Amino acid sequence: MIAALVAAVTASGALRPVEDALASQRFGLIQRPASQDLVLVEIDAASLERADVWPWDRDRYARALRNLHAAGARLVGFDVDFSAHSTAEMDQAFAAAIAEAPGAVILPTFVQPAQRSARDAPMVENAPLALFSAESLLASVNVVADNDGQVRRYLRGFAADDAYRPTMAALMAGEAYGRTSPFHIDYGIQPSSIPTLSFQDVYANDFDPALVRGRRVLIGATALELGDNLATPRHGILPGVFVHALAYESLTQGLALSGPLPLFPLALILGVAVALRPTRQAVTLNRLALQHLLILGLILGLPIVVQAAAPVFLPVAPLLLTQALCVIVAFRLELKRRGEEVVRAREAGLLHLAMHESETELPNRRALLAEIGRVRHGEPGAIAVLAIGVDRYAQMRAAIGYGMANDVVRAVAARLLRTCHGSRLGYLSTGVLGLVVRRGDVAALEAELERLETLGPGYKVDGALVDAFLRIGVAYDWNPADTDERLLEQATVALDEARRRDQRRLMFQPAAFQDPTLNLSLMSDLRKGLKEGQLALHYQPKRAADGAIVGVEGLIRWTHPSRGAIRPDVFILAAEETGAIRELTEWTLVQALADSAAMRRAGRELTVSVNVSGRVLTDLAFRDFVLSVTRGRAHELCLEVTETAVIENPQAAVEAVRAFRQAGLAISIDDYGVGLSSLSYLKILEADELKLDRSIATAVEAERDRLILRSTIELAHSLGMKVVAEGVEDEAVEAVLLSLGCDLIQGYLISPALPPADLDRFLASSAPRPRLAAAG
């Protein structure tokens, strides 16, 4: 395409000015002297001054011609117009001088328009008078100027209508008759090296005959006032006679420059285009510049060498244009390639950021999921996905700082990969790494997991020894229907359960662990169930020592349209983990108030207890909601809170309890005796009721247990709280509890949780029982 474009531009002539300028520079580099075979006789200013008249009488030319022939001039040519008559005597004198050397005199002809004022006037040839032409040779002195007015080319002759006229330089140089082909004048020949004589000296025979003996002589005007001046590319304005002389020298010295064969320039263009062909391959700018400098040197140097060795004019401008286009395309391609490299590098950087954790530079969860997919779809074998957590990572990070904690995580990752060769690792969350391991069979995989379990805890970071104990959750790839995401979630659930059970390694078991993907689905269904009335409150009665039912605890129940009854511990725990617990608790309060209103209309004034999750107890928005919906009815409800709610944020929990009690709501401390119960919480929480957990309320056989119960009940009474024992299923246990001073009994001994209609029938059929005596 480049070669074709350059060929088209060259054919249009658009490159001619550039080519001419370059040719002029070459002429300056290749300078030659004249052959000394041609002598110019100048009709100069001095000659005009001595004659004191113009045009001259023909006898002056006749005398000068005789003097030149007498001195031994071989051939004399005139660049002087002899087409008009002078006096008969003078014309005869000049004709006689010509006749003295027949065939040794060249007279000029020139073609010009018949009328200069007419645009389409025919061209006519002005020739010397027939009187002069009979014994002389005729040659054209017409020259062809280019569009810029400069004379570069010279014709060997003109042919028209079966007539032929050689040019002055061609005839004097002895060129073959009939040739009309043009050639480029070699302006490297120095005009100053051409021998010259003043016409006045020749006329006066005041010159050295040796200067013209055996040589050719050309007579012409050089005086500025005669106006015979032509523009040349190298030497500026030259008299026309000098242009003819340079054309003669070009012919006689074999320096008449001609162009190469038509296909040769195209071959050169193609050669340059091929040598510099732009490609999308990566190149350095230095290499590209060196390559183009070498080609530029060849383009500029080869024509000089060729022109110096042979009269061949090689075109340079098309080659330079070819190179320029190749440079442009090469730079565009290089810039495009580099731009693509920048884009690729940026995309690689973005991909790296997208697939790596920023602080540790380890592959992230997304990268690990991709690796899990590749491993699962690769070679067959036993595959396990592991979630590996650093124990007490938050405390370690607080002790040694973020930077060193990240170094510990990187050190753990490196040790894991060294232990499990060929495994893939990813950063899952704070202090948790993921690993996918594939081995040939289950036994080999289990051996690998045992090696991981026995890894030492010591890691040296910045010269300090840091202990990082690991726990491992394992999910085996048993079920092909499990997704990569599901396997990773299962491993994470197993890790959480391992931490809860305080085990070093634990395998995920679908029957034992709640699937996190099921939790999400469950929460979506839960919100829908709240709107569609799938949930209800059942009430478990609380009986006083005198046998009267004085209160009930509202327990939430959910009957799923497709899964049936779902255990409260399943969906309540999921609600707490996913953030749906507030919505569920608010619904419970509203429903409890509605059911309480119905019971009160039926004449049953019972306090309804409602469990409040520790996740919402300190929520200010939830507090405002409770105070708003219970305004004027606070006496109907008792809020049951656990010690764990206080442990997480004691100050906020105390403030919330205080606000609820000030509004008239009763407060019960639920599940007392579970875990590490602290007396300090009884001190800071102003509660109305202490609810003993089943684990402590039903342990009454041993004397030690009864002492603990008695002291706990007495302590609660001394703090102004009633005591409720839950989970009671045996009358003997009830008797012991009542004998120890327990105020209220709750459990299957009295009744399971009942829907409102069944509760109403239960209350109608229940009668106060006499207080039981203490057992033992």
Side-chain angles (χ1 to χ4, degrees):
M1 290 177 64
I2 290 175
L5 177 61
V6 172
V9 173
T10 303
S12 70
L15 298 179
R16 177 59 62 81
V18 179
E19 192 67 68
D20 293 339
L22 293 171
S24 298
Q25 296 300 318
R26 286 199 300 275
F27 291 141
L29 295 174
I30 310 174
Q31 298 188 19
R32 311 170 191 269
S35 65
Q36 309 300 309
D37 189 48
L38 176 68
V39 179
L40 291 182
V41 175
E42 299 182 73
I43 303 176
D44 52 13
S47 300
L48 293 177
E49 184 180 359
R50 292 293 297 273
D52 197 29
V53 64
W54 184 263
W56 290 339
D57 292 335
R58 297 284 165 78
D59 64 339
R60 293 183 69 84
Y61 297 111
R63 183 175 176 179
L65 181 59
R66 289 189 177 96
N67 290 339
L68 291 172
H69 282 152
R74 182 177 175 184
L75 184 65
V76 178
F78 283 91
D79 187 12
V80 180
D81 183 13
F82 294 112
S83 61
H85 286 281
S86 180
T87 64
E89 180 181 358
M90 297 300 175
D91 289 344
Q92 285 294 335
F94 185 56
I98 294 173
E100 292 176 4
V105 177
I106 303 175
L107 298 182
T109 68
F110 54 92
V111 176
Q112 62 181 355
Q115 294 180 343
R116 290 188 179 275
S117 59
R119 176 177 299 179
D120 298 327
M123 303 296 290
V124 297
E125 183 184 45
N126 284 52
L129 297 175
L131 178 65
F132 306 146
S133 303
E135 299 294 337
S136 63
L137 303 174
L138 299 182
S140 173
V141 293
N142 282 102
V143 293
V144 179
D146 290 337
N147 293 334
D148 60 356
Q150 294 189 346
V151 177
R152 296 182 179 87
R153 292 169 294 158
Y154 197 92
L155 295 176
R156 289 179 168 86
F158 294 91
D161 300 330
D162 296 330
Y164 174 74
R165 185 75 68 204
T167 56
M168 179 65 72
L171 184 56
M172 294 189 75
E175 286 288 297
Y177 184 84
R179 295 187 65 186
T180 60
S181 58
F183 63 91
H184 285 263
I185 299 173
D186 188 348
Y187 284 104
I189 301 171
Q190 294 298 311
S192 60
S193 66
I194 300 175
T196 60
L197 291 171
S198 175
F199 187 91
Q200 179 59 33
D201 292 340
V202 174
Y203 174 75
N205 204 21
D206 185 15
F207 65 97
D208 184 359
L211 293 176
V212 298
R213 186 177 297 118
R215 299 180 180 180
R216 294 170 175 81
V217 178
L218 180 59
I219 302 172
T222 61
L224 291 176
E225 53 267 41
L226 297 182
D228 186 16
N229 297 303
L230 299 173
T232 63
R234 178 64 189 170
H235 305 297
I237 302 299
L238 285 179
V241 67
F242 271 90
V243 174
H244 292 298
L246 291 175
Y248 166 82
E249 292 289 344
S250 298
L251 290 170
T252 56
Q253 294 188 47
L255 301 177
L257 301 175
S258 59
L261 295 175
L263 293 179
F264 188 69
L266 181 59
L268 288 178
I269 292 171
L270 287 172
V272 172
V274 170
L276 298 176
R277 64 187 182 280
T279 65
R280 292 185 60 83
Q281 297 177 353
V283 294
T284 63
L285 291 180
N286 289 338
R287 178 183 171 187
L288 187 65
L290 179 61
Q291 183 182 16
H292 278 271
L293 284 175
L294 290 175
I295 296 298
L296 180 62
L298 288 175
I299 291 174
L300 297 178
L302 183 62
I304 296 174
V305 174
V306 172
Q307 187 171 320
V312 177
F313 177 86
L314 289 181
V316 175
L319 304 183
L320 292 178
L321 178 59
T322 303
Q323 182 175 20
L325 292 176
C326 288
V327 168
I328 293 172
V329 175
F331 269 93
R332 285 179 60 85
L333 288 177
E334 181 64 11
L335 289 175
K336 183 178 180 180
R337 186 190 65 79
R338 293 193 176 194
E340 291 173 349
E341 282 187 353
V342 170
V343 171
R344 284 195 296 270
R346 186 177 300 165
E347 289 177 347
L350 293 174
L351 179 61
H352 180 84
L353 290 175
M355 303 297 282
H356 288 77
E357 195 272 330
S358 59
E359 292 189 354
T360 62
E361 285 297 313
L362 294 173
N364 60 13
R365 182 186 183 90
R366 185 182 293 110
L368 181 61
L369 284 171
E371 291 297 335
I372 293 173
R374 278 192 284 270
V375 171
R376 295 183 72 195
H377 292 89
E379 298 177 1
I383 299 172
V385 177
L386 282 63
I388 303 171
V390 179
D391 258 9
R392 297 178 58 81
Y393 178 79
Q395 291 82 348
M396 179 185 69
R397 184 178 60 192
I400 66 176
Y402 275 84
M404 189 174 289
N406 288 331
D407 292 339
V408 171
V409 172
R410 283 190 287 267
V412 170
R415 184 174 294 181
L416 291 173
L417 291 175
R418 285 196 303 269
T419 304
C420 294
H421 299 289
S423 301
R424 297 293 184 269
L425 179 141
Y427 186 97
L428 298 183
S429 61
T430 303
V432 180
L433 299 174
L435 198 69
V436 54
V437 184
R438 177 178 59 199
R439 292 296 179 261
D441 52 36
V442 175
L445 182 58
E446 187 64 27
E448 193 81 351
L449 297 182
E450 290 178 0
R451 281 195 293 272
L452 289 176
E453 189 176 355
T454 58
L455 284 179
Y459 296 88
K460 196 170 185 179
V461 179
D462 287 344
L465 189 62
V466 179
D467 285 342
F469 294 90
L470 305 181
R471 296 189 188 274
I472 304 172
V474 183
Y476 282 96
D477 185 19
W478 303 125
N479 186 1
D482 284 341
T483 63
D484 305 333
E485 179 74 36
R486 189 180 184 88
L487 278 175
L488 194 55
E489 289 290 350
Q490 290 174 353
T492 304
V493 169
L495 172 62
D496 293 339
E497 189 65 17
R499 284 171 169 166
R500 191 182 70 82
R501 298 183 187 181
D502 194 20
Q503 295 182 5
R504 188 72 183 272
R505 174 166 62 103
L506 189 63
M507 184 180 70
F508 178 83
Q509 297 177 347
F513 301 155
Q514 183 65 40
D515 192 334
T517 57
L518 177 61
N519 287 344
L520 291 177
S521 173
L522 208 59
M523 288 308 95
S524 176
D525 291 347
L526 177 62
R527 289 187 170 90
K528 183 178 180 182
L530 289 173
K531 295 177 181 178
E532 296 180 356
Q534 298 174 13
L535 282 83
L537 281 183
H538 289 192
Y539 297 93
Q540 189 172 35
K542 295 180 182 180
R543 189 168 64 192
D546 61 0
I549 303 299
V550 297
V552 292
E553 179 182 1
L555 299 174
I556 193 167
R557 298 291 185 263
W558 181 17
T559 303
H560 193 278
S562 60
R563 300 178 184 177
I566 299 178
R567 298 199 322 269
D569 60 326
V570 172
F571 67 83
I572 291 177
L573 179 61
E576 288 184 329
E577 296 299 329
T578 58
I581 190 63
R582 176 179 163 182
E583 185 177 358
L584 184 61
T585 305
E586 290 177 351
W587 176 89
T588 302
L589 286 170
V590 172
Q591 186 62 42
L593 287 171
D595 291 340
S596 174
M599 286 188 286
R600 288 179 180 274
R601 285 195 297 270
R604 309 187 190 282
E605 297 188 1
L606 302 176
T607 301
V608 179
S609 297
V610 176
N611 288 285
V612 176
S613 170
R615 298 295 176 90
V616 298
L617 178 62
T618 57
D619 187 335
L620 295 179
F622 174 76
R623 184 192 306 179
D624 293 339
F625 172 83
V626 173
L627 297 178
S628 174
V629 298
T630 61
R631 185 174 291 113
R633 301 181 61 187
H635 60 283
E636 299 179 26
L637 295 182
C638 174
L639 303 183
E640 295 189 0
V641 298
T642 61
E643 289 178 285
T644 56
V646 184
I647 293 172
E648 292 179 359
N649 193 341
Q651 182 178 355
V654 170
E655 292 177 357
V657 168
R658 183 180 296 117
F660 291 146
R661 293 191 82 239
Q662 289 176 353
L665 288 163
I667 301 295
S668 175
I669 299 177
D670 195 12
D671 296 336
Y672 187 80
V674 175
L676 300 175
S677 298
S678 174
L679 295 177
S680 62
Y681 298 125
L682 296 180
K683 177 182 177 181
I684 64 175
L685 283 180
E686 297 179 3
D688 301 283
E689 183 179 273
L690 182 67
K691 196 169 187 181
L692 301 178
D693 184 72
R694 173 189 177 91
S695 61
I696 187 174
T698 59
V700 297
E701 294 183 1
E703 181 66 25
R704 182 184 182 88
D705 293 334
R706 288 197 295 271
L707 288 174
I708 293 174
L709 274 172
R710 183 185 300 276
S711 63
T712 302
I713 293 171
E714 290 176 354
L715 174 62
H717 286 164
S718 64
L719 294 175
M721 292 185 287
K722 292 185 295 184
V723 178
V724 181
E726 66 176 344
V728 179
E729 300 179 1
D730 186 272
E731 290 185 353
V733 173
E734 179 189 24
V736 173
L737 291 171
L738 292 176
S739 68
L740 294 176
C742 187
D743 300 295
L744 298 172
I745 301 297
Q746 179 181 346
Y748 274 62
L749 176 64
I750 302 168
S751 173
L754 301 171
D758 292 345
L759 176 65
D760 185 66
R761 287 190 290 272
F762 171 81
L763 294 174
S765 63
S766 297
R769 296 174 53 191
R771 179 168 180 159
L772 297 175

